[in-house]
Amino acid sequence: MDILFCTIGAFTVQNLGSNIQVLICIVTKTSFKMLSTEMVIGFTIVYIICYLTCAAKIKNFPNISQNRVRVLWVAIISLCVCWLLQSWLISEKLDMVMVCRVPFAFCCILSLFMQFGLLEQSRLNEENLALEQLIKENAKQYELSKKTVEIINMKCHDLKHRILELEQAGNADHGQLEEIRKAVDIYDGLAKTGCQPLDIILSEKNLLCEKYQIKFSYMIDGEKLTGIKSGDIAAIFGNALDNAIECAAELPVEKRIISLIGYARQDVMGIHIENYCEDELEFRNGLPVSTKGDDNYHGFGMKSIQYVVEKYGGNLVANLEEKIFSVDIIFPVLD
């Protein structure tokens, strides 16, 4: 089915090239020949343009025909229309008349745009479904993290009371108790930004940073995020910080630094996240391409962030400059 799709596209491009060649012959008032300067010029122009606008995009579709029956049917119908028009022009001896060749060339162009346009639309629909599913998974993960953090904090409070009892009894080594208290404080350090979902996310990521010896600093007014759903907050901050932690964990300890700053100005909320990054990133459509080898199946984290931000009327900008990777998000404050 993939071969059929490509064959139909190739046939349509060939017909378009043939029509352009005939039009060049008509304009230059030269006779039509299968092998001529006009043919080389016409087909070269057509093939280059069609490759850049259509064929080059095929690499973004691992399985062209999978679950895309409508696309194939449109391609087949377009092929039949082009072939019938071509046969009719030749039978009526109108193939060297400009008034006939121009609309036929446009017919080929329209066929290609329909074929590859529907393919692109199908890909975008599938990508949006994948992003929606990822956001739902983020929401589920947030609920699990919320319960986990709550349990950890309950246990930490119990441990603190137990430590205080041991100190008052005087039966324990004060040095050891102090070490235990410091360890407990790490897990009891629940973020307090004014937004509970954000507090849960930051507390969880802070524990990860402790594990990987990453210096994580944040300063944000979470009250400005009350108009955003919990799952969407998890999608934005969870994915952004996961990417930053994954990158920082591979660096020398002195460069394991992540900074998150949130600021509000009038009715606009801004978020800035940055970390060291020694990879040479390639950007496509404003987002970094996945470094995991196959960007058809990876890299949905940044896309999901952009998807959620745009859903709330915001904008996302990612940038890599002087080994500093940054993500800037801005959107209106919602009540």
Side-chain angles (χ1 to χ4, degrees), residues 166-228:
L166 290 172
E167 285 180 334
Q168 291 174 347
N171 298 326
D173 187 304
H174 288 283
Q176 290 181 346
L177 288 177
E178 187 62 27
E179 289 182 6
I180 295 173
R181 182 182 285 106
K182 289 179 180 179
V184 170
D185 287 339
I186 293 174
Y187 291 93
D188 194 30
L190 181 64
K192 295 178 177 60
T193 65
C195 175
Q196 187 186 30
L198 180 59
D199 293 343
I200 298 296
I201 298 298
L202 292 180
S203 299
E204 183 187 37
K205 302 312 175 187
N206 197 39
L207 294 179
L208 272 177
C209 289
E210 289 286 344
K211 175 182 177 181
Y212 294 111
Q213 296 180 290
I214 299 172
K215 295 180 181 178
F216 176 38
S217 62
Y218 56 86
M219 184 175 64
I220 181 171
D221 182 3
E223 293 182 357
K224 301 297 183 180
L225 301 172
T226 54
I228 300 178

Side-chain angles (χ1 to χ4, degrees), residues 35-261:
L35 186 59
S36 63
T37 304
E38 290 80 8
M39 186 204 76
V40 173
I41 295 173
F43 275 82
T44 299
I45 294 173
V46 169
Y47 283 3
I48 290 175
I49 293 176
C50 288
Y51 173 78
L52 295 175
T53 57
C54 299
K57 297 180 179 180
I58 291 180
K59 64 181 180 181
N60 295 325
F61 309 100
N63 297 297
I64 296 172
S65 58
Q66 184 178 2
N67 300 324
R68 297 185 176 101
V69 177
R70 184 178 62 148
V71 175
L72 280 173
W73 271 113
V74 169
I76 291 170
I77 292 172
S78 300
L79 172 64
C80 292
V81 170
C82 289
W83 183 79
L84 289 172
L85 283 173
Q86 178 86 6
S87 301
W88 179 77
L89 285 174
I90 295 173
S91 65
E92 296 294 327
K93 298 181 180 180
L94 297 172
D95 53 315
M96 291 299 292
V97 179
M98 180 178 288
V99 73
C100 296
R101 284 290 178 171
V102 170
F104 186 58
F106 277 108
C107 182
C108 292
I109 294 172
L110 179 61
S111 175
L112 286 170
F113 269 101
M114 289 180 64
Q115 183 179 353
F116 286 88
L118 283 176
L119 184 63
E120 176 69 13
Q121 184 62 47
S122 177
R123 183 190 68 81
L124 291 175
N125 290 338
E126 291 172 8
E127 184 173 290
N128 286 340
L129 288 174
L131 290 174
E132 289 284 359
Q133 185 60 36
L134 180 60
I135 291 170
K136 289 180 181 179
E137 293 298 325
N138 286 328
K140 292 180 181 178
Q141 181 62 42
Y142 161 73
E143 293 298 329
L144 180 61
S145 299
K146 179 181 177 182
K147 293 178 182 178
T148 303
V149 170
E150 288 174 351
I151 291 171
I152 289 174
N153 276 275
M154 289 173 59
K155 295 297 181 183
C156 286
H157 284 299
D158 292 341
L159 281 172
K160 283 187 174 182
H161 287 300
R162 182 59 180 159
I163 292 171
L164 183 60
E165 291 174 0
L166 290 172
E167 285 180 334
Q168 291 174 347
N171 298 326
D173 187 304
H174 288 283
Q176 290 181 346
L177 288 177
E178 187 62 27
E179 289 182 6
I180 295 173
R181 182 182 285 106
K182 289 179 180 179
V184 170
D185 287 339
I186 293 174
Y187 291 93
D188 194 30
L190 181 64
K192 295 178 177 60
T193 65
C195 175
Q196 187 186 30
L198 180 59
D199 293 343
I200 298 296
I201 298 298
L202 292 180
S203 299
E204 183 187 37
K205 302 312 175 187
N206 197 39
L207 294 179
L208 272 177
C209 289
E210 289 286 344
K211 175 182 177 181
Y212 294 111
Q213 296 180 290
I214 299 172
K215 295 180 181 178
F216 176 38
S217 62
Y218 56 86
M219 184 175 64
I220 181 171
D221 182 3
E223 293 182 357
K224 301 297 183 180
L225 301 172
T226 54
I228 300 178
K229 296 180 180 178
S230 299
D232 292 337
I233 289 176
I236 294 173
F237 291 93
N239 284 305
L241 291 174
D242 280 341
N243 290 339
I245 292 171
E246 182 179 355
C247 180
E250 302 295 327
L251 298 174
V253 176
E254 65 272 12
K255 291 186 177 181
R256 296 180 187 178
I257 302 172
I258 299 174
S259 172
L260 185 156
I261 298 174

